[in-house]
Each structure stands twice: as C-alpha cells, then as structure tokens.
Amino acid sequence: MNIPISLIPKVDLSPPLWKRYGWIGILAAIFIGLFLYVRKQIRGDNIIAVTSYYPPEGLDPAMAGMLIDDIPDFRDVTALIPYWAANGIIRLEERSPSEKPLRKDLKLVKLKELSTSVADYERIFFETIFKGKDEVWASNLRGVAMTSQRLLSRNSERYYVRKKSKLIKWKIIILVLSWLWAFFSITLLPIVFTFYFEFKTFLMIPLLMLNFIFFFLIFPIGFAFLLNRMRGKNELGKSLMPELLGFYQFIKIAEVDRIKMLLKEDPYYFEKTMPYAVAFNFLKEWSAKFDNLIQHAPDWYKSSSGSRFSTSSFATAYGNRISISTMAPRRNSSSRSSSSGRSSSSGFSRSGGGFSGGGAGRGGGRSW
C-alpha cells in the first residue's frame, strides 16, 4: 500500500553538534586556562590602583605608556612632542594659508635644546626630528620614532625583573606537552576518532596533519613568543604602578566636576596631563571633558583659524597631524620597530605648581 512520505516524520539519529565538536571547545578552554595560569606565575604582580590626578613624579609620558600595558609603540614615543611643548622646549603651529606644505600640517618649532640629563631615547627622538633645524613639518617625520622605540624598550628594563629560569622551565613544559599531543594525534587519535565519531577517511587525514603541524611547530613557537613578553615588574616598577594605574583610570573615567576643581587648583592641568592621555590612547576622550572649561589655546600652540579654542577640536587636529601613521616607517625603510623607555627633560610635580626636575634612566639589556 502506498503511504505518503510526509506521513512519517524523519528522526535525526546523528549526535548533536556539541557532542561532535565539543572537544574543540574543551581544548580551547584548556589552552586559555594554561596561558592565564602561566602568565600569572611569571608576572606575579597584582597591582591595586591608588587614585591619582597626576602621574608619578619624574615619569615622562613615553615611559608611562610603556609601563601601563608593557608594550612599547609609536604612540608612547610621540607623546613626548606635547610633553616638550608643555615644558617650553618646542612650539606647535598650524599651517597658515600662505605656506606651501600639505593642506593639513603642523609645524614643530624648536625653542631650546633638551636638558643633557634626559634619557637617550628622548634625546635621539628630539635630534632625529630636528636634525640641526629649528623648524620642521610633521608630514616629513615618517620613521623618526623607530630608533627611540628600541631605546625606550631598553631603558624600561630597569622596571622589570627578568625571570629567565621560570621562562625556560615553562617553555620546556609547554614544548613537551605540545609534542606529546602532536605524537598522540598521529598515533592514537585516529583510533579515537574512528571509534567515537563518524569521520570519513578523506576528511580525517588532512585534519590530523594540520593538528600535528600546529602542535608540533606553530603552537610551541607561538606560546614561547608570548612568554617572552610576560615580564613581571621589579620592586621599582611595582612602586610606581599603583599611582600610575590610578592616574590611568582617572583619565579614563574622570568626571567633569572633578576636572573643574583641578583646573581651579592648577590652570595648566590640561597641558600637563594631555601628553599622558596621548600615550594612553585617550586623547579625544580626555580633551572632550575640557570643552567649555578652557577658553584659550595653550601658549605653545598656534592655530591658523581665528575661531574660539576648543579642546576637542585641538585633539582632533593634533591627532590628524601628529599621529601614529605620521611616525610610521618610511616605505623604503628596511628596519623594524621595537619598543619602550623612560626619561624626562623635566617631570610634572603633583603639587599643581609647575614642573619639577626629573631624572633619566639608562637601563641596559634588551627587553624581548
């Protein structure tokens, strides 16, 4: 007798998706947990932030940006430009309609030389920018931060402890475990797959080969690469971090009412903290909080427009002219960038009354 095929519902007897591929999630969770555990064992520094409205005394924005995320980048180094301006070392001028370079450009005018006590990464950055000239355009500054990044990284060693023995131990452990899994994947894993899962042979072979290559070569190298960047801070670094982290968090979430009070105590508060907002990548957010609170441009900034000064507009203009892309390597450059440091021609005091003399560290060694 003919029965309509739709009369009897189909039953899917295949295992659910989580049973078929749940092992991938379990492996991912194991690897992430292992990474976080190893990271905690190597770093070993749980920092509690202390509310602060200023950076640690004598710490320039380049080193502050390096220490806050342990990664040196172009932004850390270029934060020295407004830092010099706030210290009266240079002046920034927007292009006037009568001048020829790029339509949107910024001129850096040297007013005086850096102090001889500054760190080498700051001195090299300053000298590379001006090269014996008193005026330069930001559009001509591609690649000038690369050498200073490497020096910044080398100078930052004074704030970190190098736990080579721990690094080597964990590298060996991860290497052995990864190779054991790679060996297991080409010996016993095919049997497990065949027994528990309905894998077709033509699909199983490439998956097992990819698994073997990943855990035999890619994973141990990648994990070792990440371990090299897990540097715990020494006592000097840890002594700075509570105040620095508190200042970082304040710039991130500060309320306008608190900023109004700080401006009453110190009219130059924006100029002193703006370079650190650049290093922390919060320039636009930080500047927006000063809108309608500051009516006049800083003495070291000359605008080509006659409109009323706005900190948000200033941040946008500054970011467009002095940006990471502006400091990026030249296309014909074969060198590669590295990282981070510390110094200062003069550090900001936390009394709100101007600038206090800062020190310059010249640590040795290489960070990576």
Side-chain angles (χ1 to χ4, degrees):
M1 102 185 254
N2 293 328
I3 299 177
I5 192 170
S6 59
L7 186 63
I8 302 175
K10 293 182 179 180
V11 178
D12 186 4
L13 300 178
S14 61
L17 187 66
W18 68 270
K19 281 189 176 181
R20 284 181 289 170
Y21 303 107
W23 59 275
I24 298 178
I26 295 174
L27 284 179
I30 292 174
F31 293 141
I32 293 173
L34 180 62
F35 175 80
L36 295 176
Y37 174 77
V38 174
R39 182 177 184 271
K40 182 178 180 181
Q41 292 298 313
I42 292 176
R43 291 176 62 90
D45 51 353
N46 298 319
I47 305 297
I48 299 176
V50 175
T51 302
S52 178
Y53 308 130
Y54 288 88
E57 189 170 350
L59 191 68
D60 68 81
M63 183 60 71
M66 163 67 199
L67 294 178
I68 205 68
D69 59 7
D70 301 320
I71 300 175
D73 52 34
F74 288 109
R75 190 184 303 111
D76 297 336
V77 178
T78 56
L80 291 169
I81 293 176
Y83 182 69
W84 296 332
N87 278 275
I89 296 171
I90 65 173
R91 183 175 67 249
L92 306 179
E93 299 179 2
E94 290 185 7
R95 171 190 175 273
S96 65
S98 61
E99 292 176 294
K100 296 296 183 183
L102 296 180
R103 186 174 181 182
K104 292 184 177 181
D105 208 346
L106 193 67
K107 183 189 293 183
L108 281 64
V109 181
K110 181 170 67 173
L111 302 178
K112 60 182 180 181
E113 299 291 341
L114 287 177
S115 168
T116 56
S117 63
V118 301
D120 51 3
Y121 66 85
E122 184 175 357
R123 176 180 53 80
I124 293 296
F125 187 46
F126 188 85
E127 293 175 354
T128 307
I129 287 177
F130 290 101
K131 295 181 180 178
K133 301 178 182 178
D134 291 333
E135 298 181 358
V136 294
W137 290 98
S139 58
N140 297 325
L141 298 182
R142 290 188 178 275
V144 296
M146 296 174 62
T147 301
S148 295
Q149 272 190 285
R150 290 189 285 268
L151 294 173
L152 179 62
S153 177
R154 191 166 62 190
N155 274 258
S156 69
E157 289 298 320
R158 64 183 303 184
Y159 300 102
Y160 292 89
V161 57
R162 296 181 64 85
K163 301 178 180 179
K164 290 184 177 180
S165 58
K166 275 194 172 184
L167 283 175
I168 294 174
K169 181 188 75 174
W170 280 107
K171 285 179 182 178
I172 293 175
I173 291 175
I174 298 303
L175 180 65
V176 171
L177 292 176
S178 185
W179 281 1
L180 286 175
W181 176 261
F183 178 76
F184 171 77
S185 67
I186 60 173
T187 53
L188 301 178
L189 194 60
I191 300 175
V192 175
F193 275 2
T194 304
F195 186 79
Y196 287 101
F197 307 102
E198 294 181 1
F199 268 92
K200 296 181 180 179
T201 304
F202 73 89
L203 181 63
M204 182 188 302
I205 293 177
L207 286 177
L208 292 176
M209 291 303 299
L210 288 174
N211 179 81
F212 176 79
I213 294 173
F214 178 79
F215 285 101
F216 187 80
L217 188 62
I218 299 175
F219 178 74
I221 293 177
F223 207 98
F225 179 81
L226 293 175
L227 287 183
N228 287 337
R229 280 149 178 76
M230 296 181 193
R231 299 185 296 164
K233 293 181 176 68
N234 58 20
E235 294 304 317
L236 177 60
K238 289 180 181 179
S239 67
L240 294 174
M241 286 308 298
E243 189 177 357
L244 178 60
L245 186 58
F247 178 56
Y248 171 86
Q249 292 178 350
F250 177 72
I251 285 184
K252 184 178 180 180
I253 62 174
E255 298 178 353
V256 176
D257 291 339
R258 173 62 66 180
I259 292 176
K260 288 181 180 179
M261 296 178 60
L262 291 167
L263 281 173
K264 288 181 179 180
E265 298 174 0
D266 182 3
Y268 298 99
Y269 183 71
F270 174 71
E271 299 178 37
K272 294 178 180 180
T273 55
M274 191 271 283
Y276 295 87
V278 173
F280 299 156
N281 199 24
F282 291 136
L283 176 60
K284 290 185 178 180
E285 297 84 351
W286 183 240
S287 299
K289 296 176 182 179
F290 290 84
D291 276 342
N292 303 319
L293 300 180
I294 298 178
Q295 307 297 328
H296 303 285
D299 295 337
W300 44 265
Y301 187 79
K302 180 181 178 182
S303 175
S304 61
S305 64
S307 59
R308 176 174 167 272
F309 178 74
S310 165
T311 52
S312 291
S313 299
F314 162 74
T316 301
Y318 177 86
N320 290 338
R321 293 165 175 82
I322 306 289
S323 62
I324 295 179
S325 60
T326 300
M327 301 301 167
R330 299 178 187 272
R331 290 187 178 182
N332 60 351
S333 175
S334 59
S335 52
R336 301 178 63 182
S337 63
S338 285
S339 342
S340 139
R342 139 154 186 141
S343 141
S344 146
S345 56
S346 56
F348 296 135
S349 71
R350 284 165 286 153
S351 62
F355 306 113
S356 64
R362 301 185 181 275
R366 299 183 64 182
S367 60
W368 309 126

